Coordinates of all heavy atoms in Angstrom, one line a residue:
M581 N -70.0 -98.1 -29.9 CA -70.8 -97.2 -29.0 C -71.0 -95.9 -29.7 O -70.1 -95.3 -30.2 CB -70.0 -97.1 -27.7 CG -70.7 -96.2 -26.7 SD -69.8 -95.9 -25.2 CE -70.6 -97.1 -24.1
N582 N -72.2 -95.5 -29.7 CA -72.6 -94.2 -30.3 C -72.9 -93.2 -29.2 O -73.9 -93.1 -28.7 CB -73.8 -94.4 -31.2 CG -74.1 -93.2 -32.0 OD1 -73.3 -92.3 -32.1 ND2 -75.3 -93.2 -32.6
I583 N -71.8 -92.4 -28.9 CA -71.9 -91.4 -27.9 C -72.3 -90.0 -28.5 O -71.8 -89.6 -29.5 CB -70.6 -91.2 -27.2 CG1 -70.2 -92.5 -26.5 CG2 -70.6 -90.0 -26.2 CD1 -68.8 -92.5 -25.9
K584 N -73.3 -89.4 -27.9 CA -73.7 -88.0 -28.4 C -73.3 -87.1 -27.3 O -73.6 -87.3 -26.1 CB -75.2 -88.0 -28.6 CG -75.7 -88.8 -29.8 CD -75.2 -88.2 -31.1 CE -75.7 -89.0 -32.3 NZ -75.2 -88.5 -33.6
I585 N -72.8 -86.0 -27.7 CA -72.3 -85.0 -26.7 C -73.2 -83.8 -26.7 O -73.6 -83.3 -27.8 CB -70.9 -84.5 -27.1 CG1 -69.9 -85.7 -27.1 CG2 -70.3 -83.4 -26.2 CD1 -68.6 -85.5 -27.8
S586 N -73.6 -83.3 -25.5 CA -74.6 -82.2 -25.4 C -74.0 -80.8 -25.5 O -74.6 -79.9 -26.0 CB -75.5 -82.3 -24.2 OG -74.7 -82.2 -23.0
I587 N -72.7 -80.7 -25.0 CA -72.0 -79.4 -25.0 C -70.6 -79.6 -25.4 O -69.9 -80.5 -24.8 CB -72.1 -78.6 -23.7 CG1 -73.5 -78.3 -23.3 CG2 -71.2 -77.3 -23.7 CD1 -73.7 -77.6 -21.9
T588 N -70.1 -78.9 -26.4 CA -68.7 -79.0 -26.8 C -68.1 -77.6 -26.7 O -68.6 -76.6 -27.1 CB -68.7 -79.4 -28.3 OG1 -69.4 -80.6 -28.5 CG2 -67.3 -79.5 -28.8
I589 N -66.9 -77.6 -26.0 CA -66.2 -76.3 -25.8 C -64.9 -76.4 -26.6 O -64.1 -77.3 -26.4 CB -65.9 -76.0 -24.3 CG1 -67.2 -76.0 -23.5 CG2 -65.1 -74.7 -24.2 CD1 -67.0 -75.9 -22.0
L590 N -64.8 -75.4 -27.6 CA -63.6 -75.4 -28.4 C -62.6 -74.3 -27.8 O -63.0 -73.1 -27.7 CB -63.9 -75.0 -29.8 CG -64.8 -75.9 -30.6 CD1 -65.2 -75.3 -31.9 CD2 -64.1 -77.3 -30.8
T591 N -61.5 -74.7 -27.3 CA -60.5 -73.8 -26.8 C -59.1 -74.2 -27.4 O -58.2 -74.6 -26.7 CB -60.4 -74.0 -25.2 OG1 -60.1 -75.3 -24.9 CG2 -61.7 -73.6 -24.6
I592 N -59.0 -73.9 -28.7 CA -57.8 -74.3 -29.4 C -57.3 -73.0 -30.1 O -58.0 -72.0 -30.2 CB -58.1 -75.4 -30.4 CG1 -59.2 -75.0 -31.4 CG2 -58.4 -76.7 -29.7 CD1 -59.4 -76.0 -32.5
K593 N -56.1 -73.1 -30.7 CA -55.6 -72.0 -31.5 C -56.4 -72.0 -32.8 O -56.7 -73.0 -33.4 CB -54.1 -72.2 -31.7 CG -53.3 -72.3 -30.4 CD -52.2 -71.3 -30.5 CE -51.4 -71.5 -29.2 NZ -51.5 -70.3 -28.4
P594 N -56.6 -70.8 -33.4 CA -57.4 -70.6 -34.6 C -56.8 -71.5 -35.7 O -57.6 -72.0 -36.5 CB -57.3 -69.1 -34.9 CG -57.0 -68.5 -33.6 CD -56.2 -69.5 -32.8
N595 N -55.5 -71.6 -35.9 CA -55.0 -72.4 -37.0 C -55.2 -73.9 -36.8 O -54.9 -74.6 -37.8 CB -53.5 -72.1 -37.2 CG -52.6 -72.5 -36.0 OD1 -53.1 -72.6 -34.9 ND2 -51.4 -72.6 -36.2
Q596 N -55.7 -74.3 -35.7 CA -55.9 -75.8 -35.5 C -57.4 -76.1 -35.7 O -57.7 -77.3 -35.8 CB -55.6 -76.1 -34.0 CG -54.2 -75.9 -33.7 CD -53.9 -76.1 -32.2 OE1 -54.7 -75.6 -31.4 NE2 -52.9 -76.8 -31.8
L597 N -58.2 -75.2 -36.0 CA -59.7 -75.4 -36.0 C -60.1 -76.4 -37.1 O -60.8 -77.3 -36.8 CB -60.4 -74.1 -36.2 CG -61.9 -74.1 -36.1 CD1 -62.3 -74.6 -34.7 CD2 -62.6 -72.8 -36.4
R598 N -59.6 -76.2 -38.3 CA -60.0 -77.1 -39.4 C -59.6 -78.6 -39.1 O -60.2 -79.5 -39.6 CB -59.4 -76.6 -40.7 CG -60.0 -75.3 -41.2 CD -59.7 -75.0 -42.6 NE -60.2 -73.7 -43.0 CZ -61.5 -73.5 -43.4 NH1 -62.3 -74.4 -43.4 NH2 -61.8 -72.2 -43.7
D599 N -58.4 -78.7 -38.5 CA -58.0 -80.1 -38.2 C -58.8 -80.8 -37.1 O -58.8 -82.1 -37.1 CB -56.5 -80.1 -37.7 CG -55.6 -79.6 -38.7 OD1 -55.9 -79.7 -39.9 OD2 -54.5 -79.0 -38.4
V600 N -59.5 -80.1 -36.3 CA -60.3 -80.7 -35.2 C -61.6 -81.3 -35.8 O -62.0 -82.4 -35.3 CB -60.7 -79.6 -34.2 CG1 -61.7 -80.1 -33.2 CG2 -59.4 -79.2 -33.4
F601 N -62.2 -80.7 -36.7 CA -63.5 -81.2 -37.2 C -63.3 -82.3 -38.2 O -62.5 -82.2 -39.1 CB -64.3 -80.0 -37.9 CG -64.9 -79.1 -36.9 CD1 -64.3 -77.9 -36.5 CD2 -66.1 -79.4 -36.3 CE1 -64.9 -77.1 -35.6 CE2 -66.7 -78.6 -35.4 CZ -66.1 -77.4 -35.0
S602 N -64.0 -83.4 -37.9 CA -64.0 -84.6 -38.8 C -65.4 -85.1 -38.8 O -66.2 -84.7 -38.0 CB -63.0 -85.7 -38.2 OG -63.5 -86.1 -37.0
D603 N -65.6 -86.1 -39.7 CA -67.0 -86.7 -39.8 C -67.3 -87.4 -38.5 O -68.4 -87.3 -38.0 CB -67.1 -87.6 -41.0 CG -67.1 -86.9 -42.3 OD1 -67.5 -85.7 -42.3 OD2 -66.8 -87.6 -43.3
K604 N -66.3 -88.0 -37.9 CA -66.5 -88.8 -36.7 C -66.9 -87.8 -35.5 O -67.9 -88.0 -34.8 CB -65.3 -89.5 -36.3 CG -65.4 -90.4 -35.0 CD -64.1 -91.1 -34.8 CE -64.3 -92.0 -33.5 NZ -63.1 -92.8 -33.3
L605 N -66.2 -86.7 -35.4 CA -66.5 -85.7 -34.4 C -67.9 -85.0 -34.7 O -68.7 -84.9 -33.8 CB -65.5 -84.6 -34.3 CG -65.8 -83.4 -33.3 CD1 -65.8 -84.0 -31.9 CD2 -64.9 -82.3 -33.5
N606 N -68.1 -84.7 -35.9 CA -69.4 -84.0 -36.3 C -70.6 -84.9 -36.0 O -71.7 -84.5 -35.6 CB -69.4 -83.6 -37.7 CG -68.7 -82.3 -37.9 OD1 -68.7 -81.4 -37.0 ND2 -68.0 -82.1 -39.1
N607 N -70.5 -86.2 -36.1 CA -71.5 -87.2 -35.8 C -71.8 -87.2 -34.3 O -72.9 -87.3 -33.9 CB -71.2 -88.6 -36.3 CG -71.3 -88.7 -37.8 OD1 -72.0 -88.0 -38.4 ND2 -70.6 -89.7 -38.3
K608 N -70.8 -87.0 -33.5 CA -70.9 -87.0 -32.0 C -71.5 -85.7 -31.5 O -72.1 -85.7 -30.5 CB -69.6 -87.3 -31.3 CG -69.1 -88.7 -31.5 CD -67.9 -89.0 -30.8 CE -67.5 -90.4 -31.0 NZ -66.4 -90.8 -30.2
I609 N -71.2 -84.6 -32.2 CA -71.7 -83.3 -31.7 C -72.8 -82.7 -32.6 O -73.1 -81.5 -32.5 CB -70.5 -82.3 -31.7 CG1 -70.0 -81.9 -33.1 CG2 -69.4 -82.8 -30.7 CD1 -69.0 -80.8 -33.1
E610 N -73.5 -83.6 -33.3 CA -74.5 -83.1 -34.3 C -75.5 -82.1 -33.7 O -75.8 -81.1 -34.3 CB -75.3 -84.4 -34.8 CG -76.2 -84.1 -35.9 CD -76.8 -85.3 -36.4 OE1 -76.5 -86.4 -36.0 OE2 -77.6 -85.2 -37.4
N611 N -76.1 -82.4 -32.5 CA -77.0 -81.4 -31.9 C -76.5 -80.8 -30.7 O -77.2 -80.3 -29.9 CB -78.3 -82.2 -31.6 CG -79.0 -82.6 -32.9 OD1 -79.2 -81.8 -33.8 ND2 -79.4 -83.9 -33.0
S612 N -75.2 -80.9 -30.5 CA -74.5 -80.3 -29.4 C -74.5 -78.8 -29.4 O -74.5 -78.2 -30.5 CB -73.1 -80.8 -29.3 OG -72.3 -80.2 -28.4
I613 N -74.5 -78.1 -28.3 CA -74.2 -76.7 -28.2 C -72.7 -76.6 -28.4 O -71.9 -77.2 -27.6 CB -74.6 -76.1 -26.9 CG1 -76.1 -76.2 -26.7 CG2 -74.2 -74.6 -26.8 CD1 -76.6 -75.9 -25.3
I614 N -72.2 -75.9 -29.3 CA -70.8 -75.6 -29.5 C -70.5 -74.3 -29.0 O -71.0 -73.3 -29.4 CB -70.4 -75.7 -31.0 CG1 -70.7 -77.1 -31.6 CG2 -68.9 -75.4 -31.2 CD1 -70.5 -77.2 -33.1
I615 N -69.6 -74.2 -28.0 CA -69.1 -73.0 -27.4 C -67.7 -72.8 -27.9 O -66.8 -73.6 -27.5 CB -69.2 -73.0 -25.9 CG1 -70.6 -73.2 -25.4 CG2 -68.7 -71.6 -25.3 CD1 -70.8 -73.5 -23.9
S616 N -67.5 -71.8 -28.7 CA -66.2 -71.5 -29.2 C -65.5 -70.4 -28.5 O -66.0 -69.3 -28.4 CB -66.3 -71.2 -30.7 OG -65.0 -70.8 -31.2
I617 N -64.3 -70.6 -28.0 CA -63.5 -69.6 -27.5 C -62.3 -69.4 -28.4 O -61.2 -68.9 -28.0 CB -63.0 -69.9 -26.0 CG1 -64.3 -70.3 -25.2 CG2 -62.3 -68.8 -25.3 CD1 -64.0 -70.7 -23.8
V618 N -62.4 -69.7 -29.7 CA -61.4 -69.6 -30.7 C -61.4 -68.2 -31.2 O -62.4 -67.8 -31.8 CB -61.6 -70.7 -31.8 CG1 -60.5 -70.5 -32.8 CG2 -61.7 -72.1 -31.2
A619 N -60.3 -67.5 -31.1 CA -60.3 -66.1 -31.5 C -60.4 -66.0 -33.0 O -59.8 -66.7 -33.8 CB -59.0 -65.5 -31.0
G620 N -61.2 -65.0 -33.5 CA -61.3 -64.6 -34.8 C -62.0 -65.5 -35.8 O -62.0 -65.3 -37.0
K621 N -62.6 -66.6 -35.3 CA -63.4 -67.5 -36.2 C -64.9 -67.2 -36.1 O -65.4 -67.2 -35.0 CB -63.1 -68.9 -35.9 CG -61.7 -69.3 -36.1 CD -61.3 -69.1 -37.5 CE -59.8 -69.5 -37.8 NZ -59.4 -69.3 -39.2
T622 N -65.5 -66.9 -37.2 CA -66.9 -66.5 -37.2 C -67.9 -67.6 -37.0 O -67.5 -68.8 -37.1 CB -67.2 -65.8 -38.6 OG1 -67.1 -66.8 -39.6 CG2 -66.3 -64.7 -38.9
H623 N -69.1 -67.2 -36.7 CA -70.2 -68.1 -36.5 C -70.4 -68.9 -37.8 O -70.5 -70.1 -37.8 CB -71.5 -67.3 -36.2 CG -72.6 -68.2 -35.9 ND1 -73.5 -68.6 -37.0 CD2 -73.1 -68.8 -34.8 CE1 -74.4 -69.3 -36.5 NE2 -74.3 -69.5 -35.2
A624 N -70.3 -68.2 -38.9 CA -70.4 -68.9 -40.2 C -69.4 -70.0 -40.5 O -69.7 -71.1 -41.0 CB -70.4 -67.9 -41.4
T625 N -68.1 -69.7 -40.1 CA -67.0 -70.7 -40.2 C -67.3 -71.9 -39.4 O -67.2 -73.0 -39.8 CB -65.7 -70.0 -39.9 OG1 -65.4 -69.0 -40.8 CG2 -64.6 -71.1 -39.9
L626 N -67.7 -71.7 -38.1 CA -68.0 -72.8 -37.2 C -69.2 -73.6 -37.7 O -69.1 -74.8 -37.6 CB -68.3 -72.2 -35.8 CG -67.1 -71.5 -35.1 CD1 -67.5 -70.7 -34.0 CD2 -66.0 -72.6 -34.7
K627 N -70.2 -72.9 -38.2 CA -71.3 -73.7 -38.7 C -70.9 -74.5 -39.9 O -71.3 -75.7 -40.0 CB -72.4 -72.6 -39.1 CG -73.7 -73.3 -39.6 CD -74.7 -72.2 -39.9 CE -76.0 -72.8 -40.4 NZ -77.0 -71.8 -40.8
K628 N -70.1 -74.0 -40.8 CA -69.7 -74.8 -42.0 C -68.8 -76.0 -41.6 O -69.1 -77.1 -42.0 CB -68.9 -73.8 -42.9 CG -68.3 -74.5 -44.2 CD -67.6 -73.6 -45.0 CE -67.0 -74.3 -46.2 NZ -66.2 -73.4 -47.0
L629 N -67.9 -75.8 -40.7 CA -67.0 -76.8 -40.2 C -67.7 -77.9 -39.5 O -67.4 -79.1 -39.5 CB -65.8 -76.3 -39.4 CG -64.8 -75.5 -40.2 CD1 -63.8 -74.9 -39.2 CD2 -64.1 -76.3 -41.2
S630 N -68.8 -77.5 -38.8 CA -69.6 -78.5 -38.0 C -70.8 -79.1 -38.8 O -71.7 -79.7 -38.3 CB -70.1 -77.8 -36.7 OG -71.1 -76.8 -37.1
K631 N -70.7 -78.9 -40.1 CA -71.7 -79.5 -41.0 C -73.1 -79.0 -40.8 O -74.1 -79.7 -40.8 CB -71.7 -81.0 -41.0 CG -70.4 -81.7 -41.2 CD -69.9 -81.5 -42.7 CE -68.7 -82.3 -42.9 NZ -67.9 -81.8 -44.0
G632 N -73.2 -77.7 -40.5 CA -74.5 -77.0 -40.4 C -75.1 -76.9 -39.0 O -76.2 -76.5 -38.8
N633 N -74.3 -77.3 -37.9 CA -74.8 -77.2 -36.6 C -75.2 -75.7 -36.3 O -74.4 -74.8 -36.6 CB -73.8 -77.6 -35.6 CG -74.3 -77.7 -34.2 OD1 -75.2 -76.9 -33.8 ND2 -73.8 -78.7 -33.4
K634 N -76.4 -75.5 -35.8 CA -76.9 -74.1 -35.6 C -76.8 -73.7 -34.1 O -77.1 -72.6 -33.8 CB -78.4 -74.0 -36.1 CG -78.5 -74.2 -37.5 CD -80.0 -74.2 -37.9 CE -80.1 -74.5 -39.4 NZ -81.5 -74.6 -39.8
N635 N -76.4 -74.7 -33.3 CA -76.3 -74.4 -31.8 C -74.9 -73.9 -31.5 O -74.2 -74.6 -30.8 CB -76.7 -75.6 -31.1 CG -78.0 -76.2 -31.4 OD1 -79.0 -75.4 -31.6 ND2 -78.1 -77.5 -31.6
I636 N -74.6 -72.7 -31.9 CA -73.2 -72.2 -31.8 C -73.2 -70.9 -31.0 O -74.0 -70.0 -31.3 CB -72.5 -72.0 -33.1 CG1 -72.4 -73.3 -33.9 CG2 -71.1 -71.3 -33.0 CD1 -72.0 -73.2 -35.3
A637 N -72.3 -70.9 -30.0 CA -72.1 -69.7 -29.2 C -70.6 -69.3 -29.3 O -69.8 -70.2 -29.2 CB -72.5 -69.8 -27.7
R638 N -70.4 -68.1 -29.5 CA -69.0 -67.6 -29.5 C -68.7 -66.9 -28.2 O -69.5 -66.0 -27.9 CB -68.7 -66.7 -30.7 CG -68.7 -67.5 -32.0 CD -68.4 -66.6 -33.2 NE -67.0 -66.2 -33.1 CZ -66.6 -64.9 -33.4 NH1 -67.4 -64.1 -33.8 NH2 -65.3 -64.6 -33.2
A639 N -67.6 -67.2 -27.5 CA -67.3 -66.5 -26.3 C -65.9 -66.0 -26.3 O -65.0 -66.6 -26.9 CB -67.5 -67.5 -25.1
M640 N -65.8 -64.9 -25.6 CA -64.4 -64.3 -25.5 C -64.3 -64.0 -24.0 O -65.1 -63.3 -23.4 CB -64.3 -63.0 -26.3 CG -62.9 -62.4 -26.2 SD -61.6 -63.6 -26.8 CE -62.0 -63.9 -28.5
T641 N -63.3 -64.6 -23.4 CA -63.0 -64.4 -22.0 C -61.8 -63.5 -21.9 O -61.0 -63.4 -22.8 CB -62.7 -65.8 -21.3 OG1 -61.6 -66.4 -21.9 CG2 -63.9 -66.7 -21.4
N642 N -61.6 -62.9 -20.7 CA -60.4 -62.1 -20.5 C -59.4 -62.9 -19.6 O -59.8 -63.9 -19.0 CB -60.7 -60.7 -20.0 CG -61.3 -60.7 -18.6 OD1 -61.3 -61.7 -17.9 ND2 -61.8 -59.6 -18.1
T643 N -58.3 -62.4 -19.4 CA -57.2 -63.1 -18.7 C -57.5 -63.2 -17.2 O -56.9 -64.1 -16.6 CB -55.8 -62.5 -19.0 OG1 -55.9 -61.1 -18.6 CG2 -55.4 -62.6 -20.4
Q644 N -58.3 -62.4 -16.7 CA -58.6 -62.5 -15.3 C -59.3 -63.7 -14.8 O -59.5 -63.9 -13.6 CB -59.3 -61.2 -14.8 CG -58.6 -59.9 -15.1 CD -57.2 -59.9 -14.4 OE1 -57.1 -60.2 -13.2 NE2 -56.2 -59.5 -15.1
T645 N -59.8 -64.5 -15.7 CA -60.5 -65.7 -15.3 C -59.5 -66.7 -14.5 O -60.0 -67.4 -13.7 CB -61.0 -66.5 -16.5 OG1 -60.0 -66.8 -17.4 CG2 -62.1 -65.8 -17.2
A646 N -58.2 -66.5 -14.7 CA -57.3 -67.4 -14.0 C -57.3 -67.1 -12.5 O -57.0 -68.0 -11.7 CB -55.9 -67.1 -14.5
V647 N -57.8 -65.9 -12.1 CA -57.8 -65.6 -10.7 C -59.3 -65.4 -10.2 O -59.5 -64.9 -9.1 CB -57.0 -64.3 -10.3 CG1 -55.5 -64.5 -10.6 CG2 -57.5 -63.1 -11.1
G648 N -60.2 -65.9 -11.0 CA -61.6 -65.9 -10.6 C -62.3 -64.5 -10.7 O -63.4 -64.3 -10.1
G649 N -61.7 -63.6 -11.4 CA -62.3 -62.2 -11.5 C -62.6 -61.8 -12.9 O -62.8 -60.6 -13.1
G650 N -62.7 -62.7 -13.8 CA -62.8 -62.4 -15.2 C -64.3 -62.3 -15.7 O -65.2 -62.5 -14.9
T651 N -64.4 -61.9 -16.9 CA -65.7 -61.8 -17.5 C -65.7 -62.5 -18.9 O -64.6 -62.8 -19.4 CB -66.1 -60.3 -17.8 OG1 -65.2 -59.7 -18.7 CG2 -66.2 -59.5 -16.5
S652 N -66.9 -62.9 -19.4 CA -67.0 -63.5 -20.7 C -68.1 -62.7 -21.4 O -69.1 -62.4 -20.9 CB -67.4 -64.9 -20.5 OG -66.4 -65.7 -19.9
I653 N -67.8 -62.5 -22.7 CA -68.8 -61.9 -23.6 C -69.2 -63.1 -24.5 O -68.4 -63.8 -25.1 CB -68.1 -60.8 -24.5 CG1 -67.5 -59.7 -23.6 CG2 -69.2 -60.2 -25.4 CD1 -68.5 -59.0 -22.7
I654 N -70.5 -63.3 -24.7 CA -71.0 -64.4 -25.4 C -71.9 -63.9 -26.6 O -72.8 -63.0 -26.3 CB -71.8 -65.4 -24.5 CG1 -71.0 -65.8 -23.4 CG2 -72.3 -66.5 -25.4 CD1 -71.7 -66.6 -22.3
Y655 N -71.7 -64.4 -27.8 CA -72.5 -64.1 -28.9 C -73.3 -65.3 -29.3 O -72.8 -66.4 -29.4 CB -71.6 -63.7 -30.1 CG -72.3 -63.7 -31.4 CD1 -73.1 -62.6 -31.8 CD2 -72.3 -64.8 -32.3 CE1 -73.8 -62.6 -33.0 CE2 -73.0 -64.8 -33.5 CZ -73.7 -63.7 -33.8 OH -74.4 -63.7 -35.0
F656 N -74.6 -65.0 -29.5 CA -75.5 -66.1 -30.0 C -76.1 -65.6 -31.3 O -76.4 -64.4 -31.5 CB -76.7 -66.3 -29.0 CG -76.3 -66.8 -27.7 CD1 -76.2 -65.9 -26.6 CD2 -76.0 -68.1 -27.5 CE1 -75.8 -66.3 -25.4 CE2 -75.6 -68.6 -26.2 CZ -75.5 -67.7 -25.2
A657 N -76.3 -66.6 -32.2 CA -77.1 -66.3 -33.5 C -78.5 -65.9 -33.1 O -79.0 -66.4 -32.1 CB -77.0 -67.4 -34.4
K658 N -79.2 -65.2 -33.9 CA -80.6 -64.9 -33.7 C -81.5 -66.1 -33.6 O -82.5 -66.1 -32.9 CB -81.1 -64.0 -34.8 CG -80.5 -62.6 -34.8 CD -81.0 -61.8 -36.0 CE -80.3 -60.4 -36.0 NZ -80.7 -59.6 -37.1
T659 N -81.1 -67.2 -34.2 CA -81.9 -68.4 -34.2 C -81.7 -69.3 -33.0 O -82.4 -70.3 -32.8 CB -81.6 -69.2 -35.5 OG1 -80.2 -69.5 -35.5 CG2 -82.0 -68.4 -36.7
E660 N -80.7 -69.0 -32.1 CA -80.4 -69.8 -31.0 C -81.6 -69.8 -30.0 O -82.2 -68.8 -29.8 CB -79.2 -69.3 -30.2 CG -78.7 -70.2 -29.2 CD -78.3 -71.6 -29.8 OE1 -77.3 -71.7 -30.6 OE2 -79.0 -72.6 -29.5
T661 N -81.9 -71.0 -29.5 CA -83.1 -71.1 -28.5 C -82.7 -70.5 -27.2 O -81.5 -70.5 -26.8 CB -83.5 -72.6 -28.4 OG1 -82.4 -73.3 -27.7 CG2 -83.8 -73.3 -29.7
N662 N -83.7 -70.1 -26.5 CA -83.5 -69.6 -25.1 C -83.0 -70.6 -24.2 O -82.2 -70.4 -23.3 CB -84.8 -69.0 -24.6 CG -85.2 -67.7 -25.2 OD1 -84.3 -67.0 -25.7 ND2 -86.5 -67.3 -25.2
A663 N -83.4 -71.9 -24.4 CA -82.9 -73.0 -23.5 C -81.4 -73.2 -23.7 O -80.6 -73.3 -22.8 CB -83.6 -74.3 -23.9
N664 N -80.9 -73.1 -25.0 CA -79.5 -73.3 -25.2 C -78.7 -72.0 -24.7 O -77.6 -72.2 -24.2 CB -79.2 -73.5 -26.7 CG -79.5 -74.9 -27.2 OD1 -79.7 -75.8 -26.3 ND2 -79.5 -75.1 -28.5
K665 N -79.3 -70.9 -24.8 CA -78.6 -69.7 -24.3 C -78.5 -69.8 -22.8 O -77.4 -69.5 -22.2 CB -79.5 -68.4 -24.6 CG -79.4 -68.0 -26.0 CD -80.3 -66.8 -26.3 CE -80.4 -66.4 -27.7 NZ -81.2 -65.2 -27.9
K666 N -79.5 -70.3 -22.1 CA -79.5 -70.4 -20.7 C -78.4 -71.5 -20.3 O -77.6 -71.2 -19.3 CB -80.8 -70.9 -20.2 CG -80.9 -71.0 -18.7 CD -82.3 -71.3 -18.2 CE -82.4 -71.5 -16.7 NZ -83.7 -71.8 -16.2
R667 N -78.4 -72.6 -20.9 CA -77.4 -73.6 -20.6 C -76.0 -73.1 -20.8 O -75.1 -73.4 -20.0 CB -77.6 -74.9 -21.5 CG -78.8 -75.6 -21.1 CD -79.0 -76.9 -21.9 NE -78.0 -77.8 -21.7 CZ -77.7 -78.8 -22.5 NH1 -78.3 -78.9 -23.7 NH2 -76.7 -79.7 -22.2
T668 N -75.8 -72.4 -21.9 CA -74.4 -71.8 -22.2 C -74.0 -70.8 -21.1 O -72.9 -70.9 -20.6 CB -74.4 -71.2 -23.6 OG1 -74.7 -72.1 -24.6 CG2 -73.1 -70.5 -23.9
M669 N -74.9 -69.9 -20.8 CA -74.6 -68.9 -19.8 C -74.4 -69.5 -18.4 O -73.5 -69.1 -17.7 CB -75.7 -67.8 -19.8 CG -75.6 -67.1 -21.1 SD -76.9 -65.9 -21.3 CE -76.6 -64.7 -20.1
Q670 N -75.1 -70.6 -18.1 CA -74.9 -71.2 -16.8 C -73.5 -71.8 -16.7 O -72.8 -71.7 -15.7 CB -75.9 -72.3 -16.5 CG -77.3 -71.8 -16.2 CD -78.3 -72.9 -16.1 OE1 -78.2 -74.0 -16.8 NE2 -79.4 -72.7 -15.4
L671 N -73.0 -72.4 -17.8 CA -71.7 -73.0 -17.9 C -70.6 -72.0 -17.8 O -69.7 -72.1 -17.1 CB -71.6 -73.9 -19.1 CG -70.2 -74.5 -19.3 CD1 -70.0 -75.6 -18.3 CD2 -70.1 -75.1 -20.7
M672 N -70.8 -70.9 -18.6 CA -69.8 -69.9 -18.7 C -69.6 -69.0 -17.5 O -68.6 -68.4 -17.3 CB -70.1 -69.0 -19.9 CG -69.9 -69.7 -21.3 SD -68.3 -70.4 -21.5 CE -67.3 -68.9 -21.7
R673 N -70.6 -69.1 -16.6 CA -70.5 -68.4 -15.3 C -69.3 -68.9 -14.5 O -68.7 -68.2 -13.6 CB -71.7 -68.6 -14.4 CG -72.8 -67.6 -14.8 CD -73.9 -67.6 -13.8 NE -75.1 -66.9 -14.3 CZ -76.2 -67.5 -14.8 NH1 -76.4 -68.7 -14.7 NH2 -77.1 -66.7 -15.2
H674 N -68.9 -70.1 -14.8 CA -67.8 -70.8 -14.0 C -66.5 -70.6 -14.7 O -65.5 -71.1 -14.2 CB -68.1 -72.3 -13.9 CG -69.4 -72.5 -13.2 ND1 -69.6 -72.3 -11.8 CD2 -70.7 -72.9 -13.6 CE1 -70.8 -72.6 -11.5 NE2 -71.5 -72.9 -12.6
V675 N -66.5 -69.9 -15.8 CA -65.2 -69.7 -16.5 C -64.7 -68.3 -16.3 O -65.3 -67.4 -16.3 CB -65.4 -69.9 -18.0 CG1 -64.2 -69.7 -18.8 CG2 -65.9 -71.3 -18.3

């Protein structure tokens, strides 16, 4: 079965990032929007590990999300489409 994933959210520790990406995963998330909440990992690093995926958003949430009062800051590359920005922001409103 060839499953394609439309949105991927990375919420792991920074030292686990390289272990997560594999050819099998990259094939499934090839055109997926990747939302990274991994601290300290750059857009360039995520793009390299995902074999050139350009649909990457970096997000940083604060601890208040646990009680429904938090905020998220989201970074998009200049090349990100407005449609992908909108989908990402709609999803992150709930985080």
Side-chain angles (χ1 to χ4, degrees):
M581 179 183 260
N582 190 11
I583 298 172
K584 293 292 184 179
I585 300 167
S586 63
I587 297 177
T588 303
I589 302 175
L590 298 173
T591 58
I592 58 175
K593 301 232 182 250
N595 63 338
Q596 298 171 317
L597 189 61
R598 290 194 188 278
D599 295 335
V600 167
F601 284 95
S602 64
D603 288 339
K604 185 176 180 180
L605 176 67
N606 281 327
N607 287 335
K608 290 184 180 188
I609 65 170
E610 185 175 3
N611 293 311
S612 173
I613 300 170
I614 299 173
I615 302 172
S616 172
I617 306 177
V618 180
K621 296 300 179 180
T622 65
H623 182 273
T625 297
L626 295 164
K627 184 176 177 182
K628 180 180 177 183
L629 290 173
S630 66
K631 305 292 187 204
N633 187 326
K634 296 177 183 173
N635 304 316
I636 298 170
R638 292 185 61 220
M640 185 57 63
T641 60
N642 67 10
T643 57
Q644 297 302 314
T645 57
V647 295
T651 60
S652 297
I653 304 299
I654 304 170
Y655 164 83
F656 298 101
K658 292 178 184 178
T659 57
E660 191 59 67
T661 66
N662 286 334
N664 283 348
K665 288 179 185 178
K666 183 177 179 179
R667 289 180 67 200
T668 299
M669 292 175 67
Q670 286 173 335
L671 179 68
M672 292 303 292
R673 279 192 189 105
H674 302 285
V675 177

